[in-house]
Amino acid sequence: MFAKLMRQLRGEGGDTCRRGQPWSLPLEDRVLLVSAYWRTNLTLRQLAPLFGISKSAADHAKDEELPAWKQAHNKSHKQVRARVEHVFARMKTWKVFRDCRLKGDGVHHAVLGIARLHNLALTG
């Protein structure tokens, strides 16, 4: 029965490489992992050591395709998050933040001052 399932999965392209990280487990082990996850009360954190992989690799092996709307949402979320992370990284290089970060509410006042200067620059 397992061999029949594996033939069917391979016939439907279950072993083809897609975008993202390559699989750390062969198709047979991924199928067993997902079957054990669905059949037992074990968590992926508990199953991962049985297959010699990390919890995140086991989570990756669940092989679920996201609907188009969710992929689009994730893409826009990643883009916004990247912008915010870049801003934070840039702010960490500013001397005004390095000088006042340990002085109580110094960062708060520094941000207010920078925001006012930025608004002045925008209004001309």
Side-chain angles (χ1 to χ4, degrees):
M1 183 132 175
F2 187 73
K4 182 179 179 182
L5 173 64
M6 296 312 303
R7 278 193 303 276
Q8 184 177 2
L9 287 173
R10 282 200 173 89
E12 294 177 9
D15 209 13
T16 57
C17 292
R18 293 193 171 94
R19 290 180 28 194
Q21 292 287 332
W23 297 111
S24 60
L25 291 175
L27 181 62
E28 291 84 1
D29 288 345
R30 292 194 315 260
V31 170
L32 286 174
L33 174 70
V34 171
S35 300
Y37 177 72
W38 285 343
R39 184 73 175 113
T40 66
N41 271 340
L42 297 175
T43 65
L44 290 175
R45 187 176 303 278
Q46 294 167 322
L47 286 171
L50 299 175
F51 288 86
I53 57 175
S54 68
K55 186 262 180 202
S56 58
D59 194 35
H60 184 66
K62 287 195 305 187
D63 197 19
E64 297 174 10
E65 286 293 319
L66 296 177
W69 68 268
K70 203 168 208 178
Q71 289 177 353
H73 173 75
N74 286 349
K75 182 179 179 182
S76 67
H77 179 75
K78 286 180 195 176
Q79 290 171 339
V80 170
R81 183 177 177 156
R83 285 188 210 123
V84 171
E85 292 295 335
H86 285 233
V87 169
F88 286 153
R90 195 83 186 265
M91 288 171 58
K92 288 177 183 178
T93 65
W94 293 352
K95 185 179 181 330
V96 67
F97 289 128
R98 285 197 312 265
D99 291 344
C100 67
R101 72 169 192 242
L102 299 176
K103 298 178 184 171
D105 61 348
V107 173
H108 171 74
H109 292 295
V111 170
L112 286 176
I114 290 169
R116 286 188 185 117
L117 291 172
H118 177 73
N119 288 339
L120 284 173
L122 289 177
T123 59

